[in-house]
Amino acid sequence: MRVDIVSIFPEYFAPLDLSLIGKARANGLLRLAVHDLRTWTHDVHRTVDDTPYGGGPGMVMRPEPWGEALDALAPDELSPDGHTLPRLLVPSPAGVPFTQAMAHELAAESHLLFACGRYEGIDQRVLEHAATRMPVTEVSLGDYVLFGGEVAVLVVLEAVTRLLPGVLGNAGSLDEESHAHGLLEAPLYTKPATWRGLDVPEVLRSGDHGRIARWRRDEALRRTADRRPDMVGALSPESLDSRDRAALDQGGFPSPPEHVAK
Ligand code: JD8
């Protein structure tokens, strides 16, 4: 996968040299380039912002540098050097929520282009114009306010990179993950069996794989009911047996109604 990032703070992306993302880059599974938006300014002050039309606080990112950046990274005509048409992602608190389902969708793309806004955000015409050439998605990390899009890009890229074929190896099984089965994960324990007077639950040391699986599912259901009532509401009734319902009830939540045949 090819990824381009445009930002006025390219140093923000230093962590992408590290750990498993760094390894994916070294292995050639991820071809990542970070670009300074100011490359595409022409005045001595390398200006990227101006006051908002209509008034209001703060500054807005001017369209010209962004237009040139996107022209350079997503050329109009297919160039002979194998340029691909990217999908443009623009972090914004007004975007569609980023989810694990979107991470899977993005992992299937061959080229992603991220535009990191700062100040109050980017002139909307940049996105409108880009949308005449490529798919554009405004994406939000969640309902809280950041200073800019850089951290959101780090999050999205981390979620996407670990889904790329060859990145995880055998260390992780994607279909056993929390957001694959719609429940939070059960708690984890490792050695020693007793630490500061606290014991690892007996069942996990029993070697009884059936009992262990059932305990983990009960814990996952209990936690989900307690912390994420929105996720309980989204569980399909057919995915729950009577033992599941009992675990959910213990969390103080009514489980979704049993399927009623018409
Ligand atoms: C991009 C500028 C800050 C946004 C005034 C100052 C995502 N979940 C999220 N929360 N916040 C962002 C985010 C914030 C950004 C930019 C993303 C560019 N800001 C602005 C509007 C209100 N502040 C985000 N993804």
Side-chain angles (χ1 to χ4, degrees):
M1 168 181 275
R2 178 180 163 191
V3 173
D4 288 290
I5 303 172
V6 182
S7 164
I8 60 168
F9 294 123
E11 316 80 42
Y12 237 104
F13 300 95
L16 297 178
D17 289 331
L18 304 176
S19 185
L20 292 166
I21 295 182
K23 204 167 161 192
R25 292 176 74 182
N27 292 339
L29 298 170
L30 181 65
R31 286 162 51 213
L32 178 80
V34 182
H35 311 271
D36 186 343
L37 178 67
R38 295 190 203 273
T39 307
W40 293 282
T41 58
H42 303 287
D43 64 311
V44 283
H45 295 112
R46 309 180 91 193
T47 310
V48 296
D49 63 328
D50 209 331
T51 54
Y53 272 116
M59 300 293 268
V60 174
M61 292 190 114
R62 293 173 58 92
E64 301 96 322
W66 278 114
E68 289 193 32
L70 301 187
D71 287 349
L73 298 172
D76 213 349
E77 57 265 48
L78 291 179
S79 47
D81 66 328
H83 254 126
T84 53
L85 187 73
R87 174 162 171 187
L88 179 63
L89 292 155
V90 186
S92 160
V96 297
F98 179 64
T99 60
Q100 187 65 17
M102 194 189 292
H104 279 279
E105 206 182 285
L106 298 181
E109 301 274 359
S110 56
H111 186 181
L112 302 178
L113 171 52
F114 290 96
C116 299
R118 280 270 154 174
Y119 315 109
E120 296 303 306
I122 304 172
D123 187 304
Q124 192 63 34
R125 292 169 295 180
V126 172
L127 283 73
E128 197 181 309
H129 186 266
T132 67
R133 304 189 170 177
M134 65 192 117
V136 178
T137 308
E138 286 182 77
V139 63
S140 168
L141 272 207
D143 294 340
Y144 38 80
V145 183
L146 306 174
F147 276 134
E150 283 77 8
V151 166
V153 169
L154 289 172
V155 170
V156 170
L157 257 187
E158 183 156 326
V160 170
T161 303
R162 61 189 294 289
L163 298 178
L164 296 178
V167 170
L168 269 193
N170 292 325
S173 162
L174 294 173
D175 44 66
E176 281 179 24
E177 291 183 347
S178 167
H179 291 281
H181 52 64
L183 295 174
L184 300 182
E185 303 279 3
L188 302 170
Y189 299 89
T190 186
K191 289 172 277 302
T194 303
W195 177 76
R196 298 191 177 186
L198 301 171
D199 294 334
V200 170
E202 179 277 324
V203 54
L204 297 179
R205 307 183 60 207
S206 69
D208 181 339
H209 300 296
R211 260 183 83 213
I212 290 170
R214 187 61 250 180
W215 181 86
R216 284 185 170 152
R217 188 164 171 86
D218 286 348
E219 290 300 309
L221 287 158
R222 219 193 318 270
R223 274 189 166 185
T224 308
D226 181 45
R227 302 172 184 181
R228 293 295 302 274
D230 58 313
M231 287 173 71
V232 176
L235 289 172
S236 68
E238 313 87 73
S239 72
L240 301 173
D241 62 23
S242 58
R243 176 85 191 253
D244 290 341
R245 288 163 190 288
L248 283 176
D249 291 340
Q250 250 195 288
F253 268 86
S255 40
E258 239 140 347
H259 180 71
V260 180
K262 274 186 251 175

